[in-house]
C-alpha cells in the first residue's frame, strides 16, 4: 500500500478542459511537492507547499495543501497538450529528508 | 548552471553481473539521493548521502550500495543483478541537508537486466 495515494491513475481529456489530481494520505507531512515527468526524463519540480490550507498558483496550475497537511490537489485550468505527462506528488515527513512518492497520475491532453 | 548529470543514460547488463551508476550534482549541492522507478512500484527511495555520509537508507537489499566523494559526486552499485532490478535509476541533489526543499533530479539511468 502506497503511503501517498494518487487518483486518478490515468486521465485523458480534450484541450481546453479542466482537470484535478488528488494526493491523499493518512499521514501528516511537513511539506508536499508536485512534479511532472516526461518520458525518459527525471521529474521536474512544479511546486512545494508547506503550510496547511496553503494555495499556490503557477499560471494555469493551482495547488492546494490540506488543512491537516495530509492531502493535496493539483488543478489545471484549460489544459493544453503541453500539460501531458506523469504528475507525481511527494511528501516529506517532519525531520525527514527522503521523498515519499505517490503512484503518479498519467495525464493525456488531446488537441 | 549545469543540472544534475547522470551517466550512463542507458545500460544493458546480464543477470549476475554488477553495475555502477554515477551522479554529478549541481555545483554547490552537498546532498545526493537515489531513487528507483519501476512501472509496478513507482518511485522508491534507495539512499541519501550528505557530506560523504549515508544518512538515510530505503528498504532495499544489501546488493544496493552507494557512496559519495569529497566533491559531492555519488555512485551507486548493484551487485548480482536480477531481472527485477531493471528500472530507471534517478538521483536528486540539493544544497541543504535538512528539510524537504530544493530537490533537482537528473534524467536518470535506464538499466535493463537480461
Amino acid at each position: 500500500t502506497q503511503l501517498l495515494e494518487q487518483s486518478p491513475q490515468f486521465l485523458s481529456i480534450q484541450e481546453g478542459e479542466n482537470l484535478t489530481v488528488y494526493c491523499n494520505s493518512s499521514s501528516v507531512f511537513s511539506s508536499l511537492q508536485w512534479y511532472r515527468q516526461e518520458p525518459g526524463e527525471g521529474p521536474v519540480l512544479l511546486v512545494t507547499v508547506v503550510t496547511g490550507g496553503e494555495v499556490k498558483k503557477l499560471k494555469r496550475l493551482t495547488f492546494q495543501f490540506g488543512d491537516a497537511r495530509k492531502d493535496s490537489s493539483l488543478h489545471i485550468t484549460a489544459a493544453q497538450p503541453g500539460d501531458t505527462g506523469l504528475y507525481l506528488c511527494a511528501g516529506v515527513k517532519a525531520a525527514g529528508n527522503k521523498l515519499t512518492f505517490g503512484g503518479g497520475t498519467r495525464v493525456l491532453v488531446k488537441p | 548552471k549545469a543540472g544534475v548529470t547522470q551517466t550512463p543514460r542507458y545500460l544493458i547488463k546480464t543477470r549476475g553481473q554488477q553495475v555502477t551508476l554515477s551522479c554529478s550534482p549541481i555545483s554547490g549541492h552537498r546532498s545526493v539521493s537515489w531513487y528507483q522507478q519501476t512501472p509496478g512500484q513507482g518511485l522508491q527511495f534507495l539512499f541519501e548521502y550528505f557530506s560523504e555520509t549515508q544518512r538515510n537508507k530505503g528498504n532495499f537489499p544489501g546488493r544496493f550500495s552507494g557512496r559519495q566523494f569529497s566533491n559531492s559526486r555519488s555512485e551507486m552499485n548493484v551487485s548480482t543483478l536480477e531481472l527485477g532490478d531493471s528500472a530507471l535509476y534517478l538521483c536528486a541533489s540539493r544544497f541543504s541537508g535538512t528539510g524537504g526543499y530544493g530537490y533537482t533530479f537528473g534524467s536518470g539511468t535506464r538499466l535493463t537486466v537480461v
Side-chain angles (χ1 to χ4, degrees), chain A residues 22-54:
Chain A
Y22 299 94
C23 178
N24 295 298
S25 176
S26 57
S27 299
V28 176
F29 291 95
S30 61
S31 70
L32 200 136
Q33 303 172 15
W34 285 92
Y35 293 84
R36 181 170 69 212
Q37 185 177 22
E38 311 267 347
E41 297 295 326
V44 175
L45 180 66
L46 297 173
V47 77
T48 300
V49 285
V50 298
T51 306
E54 182 176 5

Side-chain angles (χ1 to χ4, degrees), chain B residues 57-71:
Chain B
K57 192 176 192 309
N59 203 21
F60 279 81
R63 300 185 295 107
F64 292 80
S65 63
R67 58 177 175 168
Q68 187 180 34
F69 302 95
S70 58
N71 63 357

Side-chain angles (χ1 to χ4, degrees), chain B residues 35-113:
Chain B
Y35 291 81
Q36 181 197 64
Q37 186 174 29
T38 59
Q41 299 297 318
L43 271 141
Q44 293 187 291
F45 173 76
L46 280 157
F47 26 66
E48 183 207 7
Y49 287 87
F50 181 77
S51 293
E52 301 180 66
T53 301
Q54 185 182 90
R55 294 202 307 178
N56 266 313
K57 192 176 192 309
N59 203 21
F60 279 81
R63 300 185 295 107
F64 292 80
S65 63
R67 58 177 175 168
Q68 187 180 34
F69 302 95
S70 58
N71 63 357
S72 293
R73 189 178 71 85
S74 177
E75 288 181 347
M76 69 163 280
N77 184 276
V78 188
S79 63
T80 319
L81 284 165
E82 300 176 1
L83 294 179
D85 297 332
S86 294
L88 181 66
Y89 289 88
L90 294 158
C91 89
S93 79
R94 57 187 177 139
F95 174 73
S96 170
T98 58
Y101 304 92
Y103 292 91
T104 301
F105 281 83
S107 297
T109 293
R110 170 76 60 187
L111 172 65
T112 303
V113 182

Side-chain angles (χ1 to χ4, degrees), chain B residues 1-20:
Chain B
K1 57 183 175 182
V4 178
T5 303
Q6 290 188 246
T7 57
R9 283 298 307 270
Y10 303 93
L11 208 47
I12 300 176
K13 288 287 188 177
T14 305
R15 270 181 301 175
Q17 287 187 312
Q18 75 164 16
V19 68
T20 299

Side-chain angles (χ1 to χ4, degrees), chain A residues 11 13 28 36 48 73 83 99 104:
Chain A
L11 205 50
I13 60 172
V28 176
R36 181 170 69 212
T48 300
S73 64
D83 295 324
L99 291 169

